Amino acid sequence: MSSKLILPGEAIPLPSSSKSIILGPGIAASSSRTRTLPSSDDASSSTNPTIIATRLGVLGSSKGKEKSEQIWVEGNSKRYIPAQKDMVLGTIIARHAEGYRVDLGSAQMASLEALAFEGATKRSKPNLKVGTLVYARVSLANRDMEPEIECFDPNTGKSEGFGELKGGLMITCSLQLCRQLLTPKFPLLPTLAASIPFEIAVGLNGRVWFKAGTVSETVTLKRIVEGVDNGEIRAERSAVEQAVKEYLA
């Protein structure tokens, strides 16, 4: 599906090559259905479900496993709206008997159950403090309900990189840059990794966490990512390599 400008309320055709469609931010299922008129060969008519855009932006898509495809509308919104299966970075702001309340930067706080971790049981649960940074996956996102997140992959039962993030530095970026960082063809992270070894977690809620070996390398990563986000540094291999040399000099 090619990227194009989408207006709010505009119907979006479903890709015929995908078995399952995952609706991302800016897209919702329509309550109406489009009717296909009967042809001369078939006297019966058929109806097809439709999806519509809920905001102005550019239509984007990415292929998943087993012919699945995710589609979304990329806009200039500064506030994150939780969407199911999004990877997010959150800060624990409160604890209660059943789990935690987590700030994702959205209009509502998210709920994280104490058992939503790899290997967690009623007798053995993680003990996270207020202020802890966690990397999680949105398991429930509904406009009328508080979002829920989990720190494991439900398909494997393993953490798969989710959970508490210790040390390092978190910065805030635009939602658009965070989605680009998760695109394999985007050159920023591979170029940085060629010069600086680091760990990274990218949240689609506009937050990026990384951990490098030294303070100077961590500051360099911060300045370059923020520079690309605000347009001071071009997201090209040569420009990023030059910025790394200047900041580490």
Side-chain angles (χ1 to χ4, degrees):
M1 184 182 296
S2 59
S3 298
K4 65 175 183 178
L5 183 65
I6 297 294
L7 300 176
E10 183 175 347
I12 301 173
L14 294 172
S16 58
S17 58
S18 301
K19 290 184 178 180
S20 61
I21 304 297
I22 301 172
L23 302 184
I27 294 181
S30 174
S31 57
S32 62
R33 290 175 174 264
T34 57
R35 180 171 295 276
T36 304
L37 296 177
S39 63
S40 56
D41 297 330
D42 185 2
S44 62
S45 62
S46 61
T47 59
N48 296 316
T50 60
I51 54 177
I52 60 173
T54 58
R55 68 185 183 193
L56 173 67
V58 176
L59 182 64
S61 66
S62 63
K63 298 289 186 180
K65 298 179 180 179
E66 298 180 356
K67 293 187 178 180
S68 65
E69 183 170 355
Q70 182 178 23
I71 55 179
W72 67 88
V73 175
E74 191 69 65
N76 291 325
S77 174
K78 295 183 179 180
R79 180 176 289 277
Y80 171 67
I81 300 175
Q84 195 166 358
K85 296 186 178 182
D86 274 359
M87 295 176 291
V88 293
L89 284 166
T91 303
I92 294 178
I93 60 171
R95 301 173 54 175
H96 53 82
E98 301 299 327
Y100 309 91
R101 290 180 60 79
V102 184
D103 174 28
L104 300 180
S106 57
Q108 292 181 309
M109 298 299 106
S111 174
L112 172 62
E113 291 187 4
L115 298 179
F117 293 82
E118 178 185 358
T121 64
K122 292 184 178 181
R123 292 186 177 182
S124 175
K125 297 182 291 187
N127 183 22
L128 304 180
K129 299 180 180 180
V130 172
T132 299
L133 183 66
V134 294
Y135 191 43
R137 172 182 177 274
V138 178
S139 57
L140 176 65
N142 190 300
R143 183 178 60 181
D144 303 318
M145 297 177 60
E146 184 179 76
E148 296 180 5
I149 60 176
E150 57 192 8
C151 289
F152 71 103
D153 187 334
N155 296 322
T156 63
K158 303 295 183 180
S159 63
E160 302 293 348
F162 296 120
E164 179 183 1
L165 298 177
K166 299 179 180 180
L169 175 68
M170 186 189 75
I171 62 174
T172 58
C173 302
S174 65
L175 302 181
Q176 183 178 8
L177 177 63
C178 288
R179 195 171 291 277
Q180 289 176 326
L181 290 176
L182 295 174
T183 304
K185 295 182 179 180
F186 195 65
L188 178 56
L189 294 184
T191 304
L192 289 174
S195 303
I196 303 174
F198 62 92
E199 301 176 47
I200 189 169
V202 180
L204 291 175
N205 56 332
R207 297 175 179 178
V208 179
W209 172 89
F210 40 75
K211 183 177 181 181
T214 65
V215 174
S216 61
E217 290 176 341
T218 301
V219 173
T220 296
L221 293 172
K222 175 182 182 295
R223 296 177 66 180
I224 292 177
V225 173
E226 291 178 340
V228 171
D229 193 27
N230 59 33
E232 295 179 357
I233 302 175
R234 299 191 313 275
E236 300 175 356
R237 185 177 299 276
S238 58
V240 175
E241 289 176 345
Q242 181 62 31
V244 171
K245 291 179 181 179
E246 293 177 0
Y247 292 146
L248 289 181

